[in-house]
Amino acid sequence: MELLSGLLGRMSLDYLPTEPATIGAAVGMPLGALGVAAALTYFKKWGWLWNNWLTSLDAKKIGVMYIVVALIMLFRGLFDALMLRLQTAVAVNGASGPFDTDTFQQVFTAHGTIMIFFVAMGLMFGLINVVMPLMIGARDMAFPWLNSVSFWLFVAGMILNNVALIFGGFSPGGWLGYPPLTGLEYNPGPGVDYWIWSLQIAGLGSLFSGINFIVTILKKRAQGMTLMKMPIFPWSVLVTSVLIALAFPILTATLALLSLDRLMGMHFFTSDMGGNPMMYINLIWAWGHPEVYILVLPAFGIFSEVVPTFARKALFGYKTMVAALVAIMFFSFIVWQHHFFTMGAGANVNAFFGIMTMIIAIPTGVKIFNWLFTMYKGKIWFTAPMVWFLAFVVTFTLGGVTGVMMAVPALDFQVHNSLFLVAHFHNTIIGGVVFGFLAGITYWFPKVFGFRLYDAMGRWSAYLWQIGFILAFMPLYILGLMGAVRRLDHYSDPTWQPFFIVSGIGVLVILAGTTMLVAQVAYSIWKRKELVDTNGDPWDGRTIEWSVPSPAPHFNFASTLKVTQRDDWWYKKQAGKHLTPPPPSAYKDVWLPKNSASGLLVGAGAGMFGFAAIWHMWWLLVVALVFVVAVVIRRTYDTNSEFMIPAKELMQEDLLVYKRRNA
Amino acid sequence: MSHSVTETEKLDNTTLGFWLYLMTDIMIFASLFATYLVLVNATAGGPSASDIYSADFALLQTVILLTSSFTCGVSALLLRRGKKTASMWLLLATVVLGAAFLALEVFEFSTLVSEGHTWQTSAFLSAFFTLVGTHGLHISVGLIWAITLLVYMYRTRIGSDMVRKMMLFALFWHFLDIIWIFIFTIVYLMGVAS
Amino acid sequence: MSRSLAHELGRYSTGFITALVLSVAAYQLVVSGWVTSGGWLAFILLVLAAAQMIVQVAFFLHLRSEQKPRWQTYSYAFTWLMLLVIIIGSIWIMRNLDYNMHIAPEQVNDYMLKQAQKGF
């Protein structure tokens, strides 16, 4: 018996789910995974999956895998949202609603955590991986293997997050898990630990990605591409990565301190023995505020590429765009206290951070005007990415305006922690981040797969998302002003109910929009012959990623590229230079990283480590740690990790591309 | 080896990448320092900073670590000049000094615990053990790294790869000394003076 | 690699000795009790620590001789800026919270009235 408890830590059958909704999910998820595995076996696709995807170090493929995981998680997050709104549509007065309070708490925690860390971050890293190297003329990331490690740490975090549903339950503490509620005293179970380790592991992956992206952008740009000739998307990635590199360590440290409270009985954030829960709130927001800019800046970068392409005009105010990004890089670190104006700081502190918050709205406003001026007098082509952009302008601006409202401490005291706040940040995150990334996916899809997405369905998806968004969140503004607080699972005022019902319908419409997105992909695969991208440049693009054939080859660029100006590809086309192939001397042998399973192994080891820490299985903790260290050391001393493509082969392939282009 | 990425380019990229990792580590320590400074007076009836620190002891640790940083730097310098054997001796000295530093820290911690002042005693002690312990953890990782490096140097002929590995280690070790200056000043000296 | 080995060794030794002197100076200052004001002592100690950090960065980490573009130097400076923002900001906020939250409930009304009289 003692041996068993040594082996299994604090596991017991009591941790199996008992509540019907959770049982459904707990049974459904493994069955779904089993179904996929069976299909892979039946179609004999395991080898293909392993060799072409899972072990690939090609940034574009890693990017696609990020996006696939993120889209699956988007559905999980949406179903969570649906459950929340189902509850609030029903649970008024005597009616209890379908979920008990504890389940409801776990659901909103899971919704927030998943949407931020595994959907928004996943889509972001995915898109960056797919196009950032292409846009700066690089063959790959600076550290391709580290890139794969980042991805698998992200997957390990995602899996831990979902395993909680099957065994042990998730944290009820909200997406930022404030103590003392998440401390040992009030939540001794494994739920909070699932939350901690899921974020800790995924966060570590993000940190590595941030470093990787910075070095890639600073060191691997094409010849002649000075920073001020670089497109805005890589610029936004650079700034985001700096924020990641400086903010994510704060998250790592904060979660570690909370974990020390829980594992070793320390007193950082307990309410006794001198601990100070307010310090946790201070620290987590010192990460949390830069985090929202980490998410939204790449989306801004995407729109800065989409709008000029579809308006057929160079971006208005390139330099102010860069200046705005750099300003945000600094200011996003000095506004964090506005998340807890009401915690009890004095007027001086609140006023300082309130003013800083209003100031940071200025560079963001500059960007909006820049895009609008780019459209002005342009020949606009209303494709799906452009519709996403227009939806973004309306939604995001509204979110920005309510944000500035709440930057006034006096007003914040009224709406703090209310549904008004919930509506505000969904305005910015859905309207800014999600719309941006969906536009980006549509825009760059042909570059990766060689055919376009069927545009009409993309537009419909955008319309549905926009309508659903208005239905889901405008009622929340009103409810917030009426006094409804966030995370409310039951209320007694029947006049609120109609608003909650409308909001629930909104979630259904958003779900329909997301389904339309998947249907669009399916339909486009079916019709891929008609949608094929023959010349690699389906939108008559401006930046250099459109100069390579679609789907882009592993080596990205056949010849050594020389860039002379912004929108280099566009001006090359204007001058007719895109029709003459470069001289043979421009082709050099190219070394690329071989496939490697060790990134996946590191992810597996990290996942094991987290699982062991959650369940107090100390032997497994040690085994996992030794395993990860061993894999890393072996990889460090591996001298045979690259393969070569000879210059001759590259030239022959490239000449075919030029032949097609001239035809 | 005619890789498209030349050796110097690789060295450049790795150095910058590792440097940026050190920057992220600085932010981890920044969070721990902030927590320590906020909680330093939260003694909850337990001992306060001036009760448990000894300036002499901290100075001894400081001198040992600083010396190890010096030997490590010179070791890297010599390896760049192709003097492998001398470099290895100095790296060995670094390991010995680092181990001595770590032993002193373990001694300090165990003395505190045996006196009943554990990390569970108060928020102040939680913060102290975590901040100083995190530095100690980094030192331990550095020691393991240095030992594997020594084995590698013993077995392999000198080359650009070896110089690169040594340079990264030297960066790490100097960085730990810089963090220690602030632990020495903010935790120990200011603690004694308070 | 134009400089001689002796020259570089000399630089390392200079850095080492300067750092040593600064450490011992800080130690002496605390032990001797020359400076009686706690605030000044803390300030001087921090200045000495900062000086030693700069010495080590210059002599051991060679940031001075980094080639252009000096990304390491820039990133180091920016990290320090953000570090100071986080530490000073946290202390400022938390002190403020401590001050305000340590008022007994019955005193809150009084406090609010006083604040109102002061105006913004």
Side-chain angles (χ1 to χ4, degrees):
Chain A
M1 206 56 213
E2 209 158 274
L3 180 73
L4 204 64
S5 80
L7 274 179
L8 295 180
R10 57 168 162 168
M11 277 186 182
S12 85
L13 293 178
D14 301 341
Y15 287 116
L16 284 172
T18 50
E19 208 262 343
T22 328
I23 293 175
V27 175
M29 265 193 326
L31 279 182
L34 220 63
V36 173
L40 283 169
T41 314
Y42 181 79
F43 291 109
K44 298 200 170 67
K45 285 287 188 188
W46 279 108
W48 164 82
L49 185 70
W50 181 260
N51 293 322
N52 283 6
W53 294 95
L54 301 186
T55 59
S56 175
L57 297 192
D58 180 354
K60 295 180 288 295
K61 293 198 166 162
I62 290 177
V64 170
M65 289 194 286
Y66 264 117
I67 292 172
V68 169
V69 173
L71 287 178
I72 294 170
M73 284 298 104
L74 176 63
F75 275 97
R76 159 98 210 260
L78 277 176
F79 278 113
D80 285 339
L82 202 59
M83 286 162 78
L84 299 177
R85 285 296 152 256
L86 187 63
Q87 170 80 8
T88 50
V90 182
V92 60
N93 266 332
S96 64
F99 308 109
D100 59 46
T101 305
D102 190 52
T103 311
F104 188 81
Q105 288 175 322
Q106 292 186 28
V107 171
F108 69 62
T109 307
H111 170 76
T113 313
I114 285 175
M115 286 300 201
I116 296 287
F117 284 91
F118 301 107
V119 178
M121 295 288 276
L123 291 176
M124 175 181 106
F125 286 136
L127 277 167
I128 293 174
N129 267 297
V130 168
V131 291
M132 187 269 279
L134 273 166
M135 288 184 94
I136 61 171
R139 294 234 146 80
D140 206 326
M141 292 293 174
F143 311 111
W145 181 71
L146 189 67
N147 201 21
S148 147
V149 170
S150 289
F151 170 70
W152 287 108
L153 289 177
F154 168 80
V155 172
M158 180 276 286
I159 289 175
L160 279 183
N161 199 317
N162 285 290
V163 166
L165 203 59
I166 302 170
F167 190 60
F170 200 54
S171 163
W175 81 284
L176 282 185
Y178 284 3
L181 177 60
T182 49
L184 201 54
E185 196 180 348
Y186 300 100
N187 255 307
V192 176
D193 294 308
Y194 268 118
W195 176 79
I196 289 177
W197 287 100
S198 150
L199 299 200
Q200 193 70 295
I201 291 170
L204 212 58
S206 309
L207 199 53
F208 293 151
S209 290
I211 294 172
N212 208 343
F213 298 159
I214 298 177
V215 179
T216 307
I217 293 175
L218 292 183
K219 294 282 186 184
K220 291 186 73 96
R221 272 167 291 135
Q223 230 177 340
M225 185 186 274
T226 59
L227 281 177
M228 289 310 276
K229 286 177 187 161
M230 189 166 76
I232 290 289
F233 181 67
W235 253 113
S236 71
V237 175
L238 179 62
V239 172
T240 282
S241 305
V242 171
L243 293 181
I244 290 176
L246 295 181
F248 266 77
I250 307 176
L251 176 72
T252 307
T254 312
L255 291 175
L257 297 184
L258 183 62
S259 204
L260 286 173
D261 270 6
R262 296 177 58 83
L263 286 176
M264 296 180 65
M266 291 199 184
H267 293 286
F268 287 106
F269 310 128
T270 57
S271 34
D272 57 348
M273 308 299 275
N276 193 341
M278 292 190 290
M279 184 60 190
Y280 177 91
I281 296 172
N282 172 63
L283 281 176
I284 200 94
W285 281 113
W287 158 79
H289 199 85
E291 163 70 4
V292 304
Y293 282 96
I294 289 169
L295 292 176
V296 85
L297 290 183
F300 289 169
I302 290 165
F303 288 132
S304 305
E305 305 303 330
V306 165
V307 175
T309 303
F310 293 112
R312 328 226 127 274
K313 262 179 80 196
L315 183 70
F316 181 89
Y318 174 93
K319 282 180 189 164
T320 53
M321 218 60 150
V322 173
L325 282 168
V326 175
I328 289 174
M329 178 170 88
F330 176 72
F331 279 107
S332 64
F333 269 100
I334 44 176
V335 295
W336 81 91
Q337 193 261 357
H338 70 214
H339 294 274
F340 44 94
F341 277 150
T342 57
M343 201 160 75
N348 304 339
V349 175
N350 280 356
F352 173 82
F353 284 97
I355 291 167
M356 284 303 148
T357 308
M358 292 175 211
I359 289 177
I360 203 173
I362 295 170
T364 314
V366 166
K367 287 163 172 298
I368 300 269
F369 281 111
N370 278 343
W371 293 314
L372 294 181
F373 285 132
T374 307
M375 285 171 72
Y376 180 66
K377 287 196 173 170
K379 285 189 216 107
I380 298 165
W381 183 6
F382 285 101
T383 54
M386 216 46 200
V387 176
W388 285 116
F389 169 72
L390 294 175
F392 154 83
V393 172
V394 176
T395 321
F396 187 81
T397 308
L398 188 62
V401 170
T402 52
V404 176
M405 276 171 74
M406 286 193 296
V408 181
L411 200 149
D412 184 71
F413 270 71
Q414 180 61 33
V415 292
H416 180 84
N417 245 5
S418 74
L419 287 174
F420 188 91
L421 165 84
V422 173
H424 154 70
F425 70 69
H426 281 87
N427 245 154
T428 52
I429 292 181
I430 293 183
V433 179
V434 178
F435 286 7
F437 293 158
L438 293 179
I441 289 174
T442 320
Y443 180 57
W444 282 302
F445 188 89
K447 190 42 65 197
V448 185
F449 293 102
F451 59 94
R452 279 171 291 131
L453 287 171
Y454 182 63
D455 201 65
M457 285 169 90
R459 290 200 300 272
W460 268 103
S461 173
Y463 297 142
L464 284 170
W465 265 87
Q466 177 67 5
I467 294 167
F469 180 85
I470 292 170
L471 288 175
F473 293 101
M474 293 307 124
L476 295 194
Y477 276 121
I478 300 165
L479 281 169
L481 290 175
M482 288 161 82
V485 295
R486 72 195 294 198
R487 296 168 181 168
L488 188 72
D489 71 326
H490 189 267
Y491 51 94
S492 52
D493 185 346
T495 58
W496 291 2
Q497 196 177 21
F499 294 104
F500 274 120
I501 291 175
V502 172
S503 176
I505 294 169
V507 180
L508 285 172
V509 178
I510 290 179
L511 199 62
T514 318
T515 313
M516 179 65 89
L517 209 67
V518 176
Q520 178 200 23
V521 175
Y523 184 77
S524 310
I525 293 175
W526 185 39
K527 293 274 178 192
R528 63 186 178 279
K529 294 238 167 71
E530 290 160 39
L531 295 164
V532 70
D533 168 18
T534 45
N535 62 356
D537 189 10
W539 319 115
D540 195 8
R542 312 180 71 83
T543 39
I544 55 177
E545 78 270 27
W546 302 111
S547 71
V548 303
S550 299
H554 186 175
F555 48 81
N556 285 0
F557 297 91
S559 60
T560 314
L561 202 65
K562 276 204 184 87
V563 171
T564 51
Q565 55 200 320
R566 269 174 228 154
D567 293 343
D568 193 70
W569 175 238
W570 174 263
Y571 291 106
K572 262 192 191 129
K573 283 190 287 188
Q574 298 298 309
K577 282 187 201 156
H578 64 302
L579 298 174
T580 39
S585 62
Y587 299 94
K588 306 240 159 61
D589 294 350
V590 168
W591 289 85
L592 290 170
K594 283 182 192 164
N595 282 4
S596 163
S598 48
L600 192 154
L601 293 179
V602 170
M608 267 196 309
F609 185 90
F611 192 75
I614 292 162
W615 290 103
H616 300 177
M617 297 154 81
W618 308 124
W619 64 272
L620 184 63
L621 197 88
V622 176
V623 169
L625 190 67
V626 171
F627 177 73
V628 170
V629 172
V631 172
V632 172
I633 289 182
R634 204 177 139 224
R635 172 74 194 185
T636 319
Y637 290 93
D638 185 0
T639 48
N640 185 27
S641 61
E642 292 181 322
F643 69 98
M644 197 256 285
I645 306 176
K648 215 169 172 189
E649 218 171 277
L650 290 171
M651 191 165 90
Q652 279 164 355
E653 249 181 77
D654 209 28
L655 288 179
L656 286 177
V657 172
Y658 277 93
K659 212 176 208 174
R660 270 206 305 273
R661 200 175 278 160
N662 278 308
Chain B
M1 297 259 274
S2 63
H3 286 37
S4 69
V5 181
T6 61
E7 279 299 324
T8 41
E9 212 182 312
K10 217 174 208 167
L11 177 69
D12 249 32
N13 291 356
T14 325
T15 311
L16 182 62
F18 191 73
W19 181 264
L20 291 173
Y21 152 72
L22 293 180
M23 297 303 105
T24 66
D25 227 5
I26 287 185
M27 291 311 282
I28 288 191
F29 278 105
S31 317
L32 297 181
F33 269 111
T35 310
Y36 177 82
L37 286 169
V38 165
L39 297 178
V40 67
N41 293 321
T43 50
S48 69
S50 54
D51 297 337
I52 55 169
Y53 299 150
S54 144
D56 301 347
F57 195 82
L59 182 68
L60 179 65
Q61 279 184 297
T62 306
V63 172
I64 290 176
L65 196 63
L66 186 61
T67 314
S68 85
S69 199
F70 176 66
T71 55
C72 170
V74 176
S75 166
L77 180 72
L78 290 172
L79 191 69
R80 264 213 311 270
R81 305 263 170 173
K83 300 185 193 321
K84 196 177 99 172
T85 320
S87 169
M88 281 178 65
W89 279 111
L90 279 165
L91 186 58
L92 189 66
T94 309
V95 171
V96 172
L97 288 165
F101 171 87
L102 199 63
L104 285 177
E105 191 171 305
V106 170
F107 172 73
E108 185 196 17
F109 279 16
S110 60
T111 312
L112 279 174
V113 170
S114 68
E115 284 167 1
H117 307 321
T118 71
W119 47 84
Q120 299 187 343
T121 306
S122 67
F124 155 63
L125 280 175
S126 299
F128 164 76
F129 276 107
T130 306
L131 172 58
V132 180
T134 305
H135 181 263
L137 196 67
H138 278 76
I139 293 280
S140 323
V141 172
L143 286 179
I144 295 171
W145 186 357
I147 290 167
T148 55
L149 196 59
L150 269 173
V151 173
Y152 173 73
M153 284 167 81
Y154 181 73
R155 282 190 180 169
T156 322
R157 287 179 52 156
I158 189 166
S160 62
D161 199 46
M162 187 184 289
V163 174
R164 183 176 79 210
K165 284 183 163 66
M166 174 62 116
M167 259 199 52
L168 295 184
F169 171 72
L171 270 184
F172 185 65
W173 201 254
H174 291 321
F175 163 77
L176 290 184
D177 196 38
I178 290 177
I179 298 289
W180 180 259
I181 300 169
F182 289 95
I183 293 182
F184 175 59
T185 306
I186 293 176
V187 176
Y188 289 100
L189 291 184
M190 288 189 180
V192 169
S194 67
Chain C
M1 220 60 63
S2 57
R3 294 211 176 97
S4 69
L5 180 62
H7 176 86
E8 291 212 24
L9 274 176
R11 279 172 51 88
Y12 264 99
S13 308
T14 318
F16 176 56
I17 291 165
T18 320
L20 211 56
V21 168
L22 286 167
S23 292
V24 175
Y27 164 81
Q28 268 304 327
L29 210 60
V30 169
V31 177
S32 65
W34 288 332
V35 184
T36 42
S37 146
W40 274 107
L41 180 64
F43 177 74
I44 298 171
L45 287 177
L46 284 176
V47 169
L48 286 174
Q52 189 176 168
M53 188 264 287
I54 291 168
V55 167
Q56 294 213 12
V57 166
F59 289 93
F60 289 177
L61 291 176
H62 310 292
L63 269 198
R64 276 202 321 195
S65 52
E66 191 196 357
Q67 278 168 356
K68 281 185 182 175
R70 311 178 65 149
W71 295 123
Q72 280 174 273
T73 315
Y74 298 151
S75 59
Y76 193 63
F78 191 68
T79 306
W80 263 92
L81 184 66
M82 290 302 121
L83 172 143
L84 290 176
V85 164
I86 296 295
I87 292 183
I88 295 174
S90 292
I91 293 173
W92 187 39
I93 293 169
M94 296 309 294
R95 285 269 163 91
N96 212 276
L97 284 168
D98 271 355
Y99 176 74
N100 286 328
M101 305 300 276
H102 275 174
I103 305 173
E106 52 269 24
Q107 292 172 315
V108 168
N109 207 24
D110 243 26
Y111 171 77
M112 295 302 275
L113 281 173
K114 245 186 253 161
Q115 290 291 311
Q117 274 160 9
K118 270 200 276 181
F120 252 105

